[in-house]
């Protein structure tokens, strides 16, 4: 383990087996199924036309920081297409996609068949930038714009997330990652957001992965929320406690503003920096920390902020299971007790 975080690289079988026509014993391909990353996320309670400029700026900021190429970002998916390599023509298409102009403003203006298709897919605009098919290099940008309704669906938000491999943090240092997160945030109309250590799952864990689950639950500073897949219903809730915590309205106003929030946080590791009159970022130390419950590293600064933000923290999402089956939470397949303990790890 280095000074910031544990290294998590979990390999296993993702797809069945490969049948060899030669008659040899089938071989089971092993792929990278999970890894530690730095995750930057913003929850935007607006339709795409209202946030297009900020999203475009964030995308360009991320690409300037990581670069384009086979070892970083080299591929894209947009809306319903099948994905393609990033070329100049592809970039022109992406930039057009991110413009605010749309042939309609609200889906109620469209035909019933078109509304049905949009509601079925669940978003108005989708952009994924990554390393290509089967890439697990840790670089990814994901943007999903909510469906534009005259009366927005309760708690629906547009979502912008980006990940960096932890090797990027080691190579460039936490100050570079912080600068990137702040630059991406600078023109975004977010309600909340964060940057910090996270688990990136490329495939659901299996029952036999109990050792990995136990390892993950040791580190309170490692965000497991991406595995829950409920981010587009965040509303104005706060998605837990992280190294960098972005707060805007209405939560910041309900806390009494930046000065009142700063007065409630006593940890010497914590700083509250106002981005403007409506937005702040709360930093918990110079760099992200994973902690380690088995070594008594409970991350006191994280716990202090959790107690302050408890009324606004998102609840543990329910899981739908059969009537005779106990619930298993998320793609991690945690049982209810494990999920609840992790969800409240900074509060109990």
């Amino acid at each position: 383990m280095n000074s910031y975080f544990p290294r998590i690289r979990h390999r296993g079988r993702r797809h069945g087996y490969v049948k060899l026509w030669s008659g040899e014993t089938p071989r089971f391909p092993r792929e990278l199924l999970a890894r530690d990353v730095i995750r930057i996320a913003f929850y935007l309670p607006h339709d795409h036309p209202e946030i297009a400029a900020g999203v475009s700026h964030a995308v360009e900021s991320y690409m300037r920081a990581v670069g384009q190429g086979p070892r970083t970002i080299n591929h894209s998916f947009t809306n319903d297409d099948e994905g393609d390599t990033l070329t100049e023509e592809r970039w022109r298409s992406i930039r057009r996609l991110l413009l605010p102009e749309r042939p309609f403003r609200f889906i109620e203006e469209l035909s019933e068949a078109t509304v049905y298709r949009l509601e079925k897919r669940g978003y108005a605009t989708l952009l994924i930038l990554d390393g290509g098919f089967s890439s697990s290099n840790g670089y990814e940008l994901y943007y999903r714009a909510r469906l534009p309704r005259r009366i927005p669906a309760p708690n629906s938000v547009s979502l912008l997330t980006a990940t960096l491999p932890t090797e990027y943090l080691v190579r460039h240092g936490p100050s570079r990652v912080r600068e990137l997160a702040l630059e991406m945030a600078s023109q975004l109309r977010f309600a909340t957001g964060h940057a910090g250590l996270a688990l990136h799952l490329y495939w659901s864990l299996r029952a036999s992965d109990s050792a990995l689950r136990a390892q993950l639950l040791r580190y309170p500073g490692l965000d497991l929320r991406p595995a829950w897949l409920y981010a587009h219903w965040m509303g104005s809730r706060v998605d837990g406690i992280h190294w960098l915590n972005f707060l805007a309205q209405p939560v910041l106003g309900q806390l009494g503003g930046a000065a009142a929030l700063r007065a409630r946080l006593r940890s010497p590791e914590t700083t509250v920096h106002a981005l403007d009159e409506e937005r702040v970022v709360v930093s918990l130390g110079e760099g992200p920390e994973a902690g380690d419950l088995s070594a008594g590293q409970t991350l006191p600064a994280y716990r202090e902020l959790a107690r302050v933000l408890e009324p606004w923290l998102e609840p543990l999402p329910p899981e739908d299971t059969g009537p005779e089956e106990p619930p298993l939470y998320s793609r991690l397949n945690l049982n209810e007790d494990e999920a609840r303990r992790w969800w409240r790890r900074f509060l109990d």
Side-chain angles (χ1 to χ4, degrees):
M1 182 188 301
N2 60 38
S3 60
Y4 292 113
F5 47 84
R7 180 181 174 87
I8 296 171
R9 299 290 190 276
H10 178 61
R11 296 185 179 275
R13 302 185 183 100
R14 183 172 180 176
H15 308 291
Y17 62 84
V18 176
K19 184 177 181 180
L20 303 180
W21 290 103
S22 64
E24 297 178 8
T25 303
R27 299 173 184 175
F28 294 83
R30 294 177 63 81
E31 304 176 41
L32 186 63
L33 304 184
R35 64 172 296 153
D36 50 301
V37 297
I38 298 296
R39 180 170 179 257
I40 303 169
F42 298 100
Y43 306 99
L44 309 124
H46 303 282
D47 302 334
H48 176 76
E50 301 166 324
I51 56 176
V55 169
S56 295
H57 174 81
V59 171
E60 297 289 351
S61 299
Y62 177 77
M63 290 303 303
R64 283 196 300 272
V66 307
Q68 180 178 332
R71 296 186 179 182
T72 55
I73 298 294
N74 202 39
H75 193 268
S76 70
F77 292 90
T78 59
N79 288 346
D80 299 320
D81 72 14
E82 296 181 355
D84 203 353
T85 303
L86 281 172
T87 61
E88 285 300 321
E89 181 180 355
R90 188 72 169 171
W91 270 117
R92 285 194 292 270
S93 175
I94 290 171
R95 292 186 175 105
R96 285 195 300 270
L97 179 75
L98 295 179
L99 290 174
E101 290 79 17
R102 290 292 184 267
F104 65 95
R105 180 60 185 90
F106 301 109
I107 63 172
E108 289 86 351
E109 302 167 11
L110 303 173
S111 69
E112 185 175 336
T114 303
V115 171
Y116 175 80
R117 180 177 62 83
L118 290 173
E119 289 181 335
K120 186 174 182 180
R121 78 180 191 181
Y123 58 83
T125 303
L126 179 69
L127 170 64
I128 302 174
L129 300 173
D130 60 21
F133 293 108
S134 300
S135 172
S136 53
N137 63 17
Y139 290 97
E140 181 181 283
L141 183 140
Y142 177 98
Y143 171 59
R144 171 180 173 142
R146 71 182 186 182
L147 291 175
R149 304 175 187 274
R150 294 189 188 278
I151 300 177
N155 297 321
S156 66
V157 295
S158 297
L159 172 67
L160 177 66
T161 72
T163 61
L164 304 164
T166 47
E167 291 87 343
Y168 185 97
L169 174 67
V170 173
R171 185 163 59 251
H172 297 289
S175 61
R176 178 79 68 86
V177 177
R178 176 188 170 90
E179 289 170 5
L180 172 58
L182 290 174
E183 182 62 25
M184 291 180 68
S186 63
Q187 297 183 29
L188 287 175
R189 298 175 61 186
F190 59 82
T192 62
H194 73 259
L197 291 169
L199 178 74
H200 193 102
L201 272 182
Y202 296 99
W203 203 255
S204 298
L205 298 189
R206 299 186 177 190
S208 58
D209 293 322
S210 56
L212 176 61
R213 272 187 289 274
Q215 178 191 17
L216 296 173
L217 294 173
R218 281 174 50 189
Y219 304 115
L222 183 70
D223 186 22
L224 304 182
R225 274 176 181 79
W228 260 268
L229 301 177
Y230 289 102
H232 54 288
W233 297 110
M234 183 67 61
S236 61
R237 292 279 189 169
V238 178
D239 74 334
I241 306 303
H242 310 266
W243 168 42
L244 304 179
N245 305 270
F246 294 87
L247 300 172
Q249 303 304 325
V251 173
L252 183 60
Q254 293 167 357
L255 284 163
L261 175 59
R262 189 178 292 112
R264 297 177 65 179
L265 299 172
R266 310 292 179 82
S267 172
E269 304 169 19
T270 301
T271 61
V272 179
H273 172 67
L275 303 177
D276 52 41
E277 294 182 356
E278 301 291 317
R279 305 177 306 161
V280 301
V281 58
V282 182
S283 304
L284 304 181
E286 295 183 0
E289 295 185 77
D292 188 343
L293 298 181
S294 66
Q297 299 172 9
T298 60
L299 303 181
Y302 288 59
R303 295 179 65 85
E304 180 185 56
L305 181 59
R307 289 191 293 271
V308 170
L309 294 181
E310 183 175 6
W312 296 275
L313 293 178
E314 61 170 327
L316 176 65
E319 292 292 313
D320 294 326
T321 56
E324 298 180 359
E325 299 175 1
L328 291 177
Y329 285 76
S330 84
R331 296 166 65 202
L332 296 171
N333 282 325
L334 301 176
N335 62 40
E336 186 171 5
D337 180 63
E338 290 171 330
R340 197 166 301 281
R341 280 191 291 111
W342 186 84
W343 215 258
R344 294 187 57 82
R345 67 200 184 284
F346 292 129
L347 296 170
D348 294 337

